[in-house]
Amino acid sequence: MPLKLYNTLTRKKEVFEPLKKGHVGIYSCGPTVYWYQHIGNMRTYVSNDILKRVFLNNGFKVKHVINVTDVGHLTSDSDIGEDKIEKAARKEKKTAKQVSNYYFKVFKEDLKKLNIIEPDVWPRATEHIKEQIDLIKNLEKKGYTYKTSGGIYFDTSKLKDYGKLVRLNVKELKAGKRIDIGEKKNKTDFALWKFSSSQEGKRQQEWKSPWGVGFPGWHIECSAMSSKYLGKQFDIHTGGQEHIAVHHTNEIAQSETAFGKKPWVKYWIHFAWLLFKGEKISKSKGGLYTLFQLEEKGFSPLAFRYLCLTTHYKKPLNFSLEILEMAQKSYNRLKNIISGLKKGEKKNKKNIEGAKKQFLKIINDDFNSSKALSFLWDILRDNRLNDSEKYELALDFDKVFGLKLDEEEKIKVPSKIKKLIEERGRVRKKKDWKKADELRKKINKEGYSVDDIKGGVKVKEI
Ligand code: AMP
Ligand code: ZN
């Protein structure tokens, strides 16, 4: 079954052709670990996870790399401002390492809660300084760099196709509004290495280089680390949609120059944002919710995952607690239906194979999780299928959804319901069946069911 994906580079939906048969290399821009990752970030990692699971489901061997930015990401994407990690360390009165280690740890815990498969490699920028210096040396030797008092810059005017990912019109840009570019030769030139002396105050993280003491620019880390783990040319690069214009454009410029491969990356995939009141959720605006805060409000992380799956990754998703509440209810209902399916019935192979094929066709069409989720609901409602068949299909689809559909959800029962259940237990002991029945009806009315099982009761939302 062909796997189609939308490639930002060509602006077309294409059939995926791997560089090496049966294998796929994926590089995803990862977190800048100076604060908690918010649920907007999490949407991007859920999208990455679906993408990866679809490849696995199609029998590919996947090598997935997510980088950890623990140096060099400045408060502005255009090489000005402070290093985000240094700023956080100063504010929290901690070392840069303590800051990045802590937020990376929390981030990994969040991914686990969201049932996101860990990447094969988690390279950290600070642990790949040599690779980044080597790459800058390569660019220097080829004549693409120049020095300013602030650092070493990439001369974008030397590339005919600079900005092809974003379809940038460099001529128009030159003719446009004059802005102060300081010592830079062109507006689009970007820093490969920044000198510590160009920053205010003493930095915690700095290294010696052939050009002076300093630290790498943000874009160079992704080129250096992706090539180290995936080769000088690889299949897929992913990231949030805001990376198209600057970060990924600059990654392409320096990598195609250094490695001499065109295209450096075959397929570029960009994920749409999670919005709140129509605006991108972002850390600089306070970040809104973290996963932990949603948990505190009684939501399960997998309900958030369910919500992410209801919208195609290329479409913006508007977040609100009301929408999450709806997703939580649908998710609970889905799990209840699946746990109630009888498993002993004889299965018809043809029914199963037909539905699996249909599912693959849907999800292989540019990772259409929302359509695939509707298909699962259709299957569960389909009278032509028996319970055993439905169960097998649901679990098969869940290899892609990652919603843990076969695991019992520990639901939080409100204290009011708990009291009713306890009272029902007491009257049942006294064999007052009439009263017990009345209490059961009361519990049902509040939206919960109660079943007597060996040694206790089983409570579910209905
Ligand atoms: P950062 O930690 O800011 O470098 O971001 C990590 C990843 O989260 C990047 O791939 C961003 O594109 C992505 N991201 C940031 N904000 C959002 C958002 N509101 N919705 C979806 N993805 C986001
Ligand atoms: Zn990156």
Side-chain angles (χ1 to χ4, degrees), residues 7-202:
N7 187 357
T8 311
L9 194 60
T10 57
R11 304 285 197 273
K12 277 192 205 118
K13 212 193 262 183
E14 297 175 29
V15 173
F16 177 74
E17 298 284 354
L19 286 165
K20 189 175 159 202
K21 200 167 177 272
H23 291 256
V24 55
I26 307 173
Y27 184 87
S28 307
C29 284
T32 309
V33 281
Y34 69 102
W35 198 67
Y36 298 102
Q37 290 274 297
H38 52 66
I39 53 173
N41 301 125
M42 291 304 158
R43 181 184 183 202
T44 279
Y45 298 106
V46 170
S47 301
N48 271 312
D49 192 52
I50 297 297
L51 183 125
K52 177 172 170 176
R53 283 170 180 266
V54 170
F55 277 102
L56 290 170
N57 205 37
N58 277 270
F60 281 92
K61 273 212 154 61
V62 180
K63 184 163 182 190
H64 189 204
V65 180
I66 303 184
N67 68 303
V68 181
T69 302
D70 54 0
V71 70
H73 198 168
L74 304 187
T75 42
S76 153
D77 276 2
S78 50
D79 299 323
I80 44 170
E82 261 188 287
D83 186 316
K84 293 183 182 187
I85 305 278
E86 297 276 332
K87 192 177 167 188
R90 227 185 8 262
K91 204 170 135 205
E92 296 188 23
K93 295 195 172 52
K94 288 192 179 127
T95 65
K97 198 96 199 147
Q98 280 170 333
V99 167
S100 57
N101 281 351
Y102 173 72
Y103 291 112
F104 181 38
K105 184 176 142 273
V106 177
F107 171 62
K108 285 208 286 189
E109 284 164 8
D110 282 354
L111 294 196
K112 210 169 178 187
K113 285 179 193 166
L114 288 167
N115 200 23
I116 288 171
I117 305 171
E118 273 208 53
D120 301 277
V121 198
W122 278 122
R124 294 174 71 134
T126 51
E127 288 166 8
H128 294 79
I129 299 297
K130 185 184 174 299
E131 286 84 349
Q132 296 176 75
I133 291 177
D134 286 347
L135 195 53
I136 302 169
K137 278 199 217 161
N138 174 333
L139 295 169
E140 185 180 40
K141 220 162 125 195
K142 292 194 168 112
Y144 283 81
T145 64
Y146 63 91
K147 190 173 174 179
T148 73
S149 59
I152 303 298
Y153 279 78
F154 186 97
D155 187 347
T156 55
S157 68
K158 297 221 160 160
L159 286 183
K160 274 201 209 86
D161 58 357
Y162 177 79
K164 61 183 170 187
L165 185 71
V166 63
R167 309 252 157 132
L168 189 73
N169 186 333
V170 178
K171 270 190 202 141
E172 252 174 44
L173 198 75
K174 275 187 184 155
K177 206 168 64 174
R178 293 244 152 246
I179 57 149
D180 182 19
I181 58 172
E183 292 174 54
K184 281 202 316 190
K185 291 185 182 169
N186 309 287
K187 188 183 169 209
T188 46
D189 293 355
F190 55 91
L192 298 164
W193 186 263
K194 294 276 280 183
F195 299 135
S196 293
S197 54
S198 67
Q199 299 267 297
E200 283 168 35
K202 174 97 183 96

Side-chain angles (χ1 to χ4, degrees), residues 34-42 110 273-297 299 304 307 317-324:
Y34 69 102
W35 198 67
Y36 298 102
Q37 290 274 297
H38 52 66
I39 53 173
N41 301 125
M42 291 304 158
D110 282 354
W273 294 328
L274 188 69
L275 310 176
F276 185 68
K277 294 186 177 154
E279 270 195 62
K280 178 186 179 231
I281 294 177
S282 78
K283 272 178 271 192
S284 53
K285 286 183 200 132
L288 194 71
Y289 295 112
T290 61
L291 202 62
F292 178 69
Q293 284 167 328
L294 295 185
E295 284 181 284
E296 274 188 332
K297 290 187 184 297
F299 294 106
F304 176 72
L307 174 65
L317 170 57
N318 247 311
F319 179 84
S320 69
L321 289 178
E322 292 73 34
I323 286 174
L324 183 60

Side-chain angles (χ1 to χ4, degrees), residues 29 222 247 251:
C29 284
C222 286
H247 184 50
E251 276 188 49

Side-chain angles (χ1 to χ4, degrees), residues 411-414 417 443-444 446-450 459-462:
I411 59 162
K412 278 195 185 128
V413 182
I417 307 296
I443 294 164
N444 291 161
E446 297 285 338
Y448 291 83
S449 74
V450 53
V459 187
K460 280 195 213 166
E461 279 179 275
I462 45 176

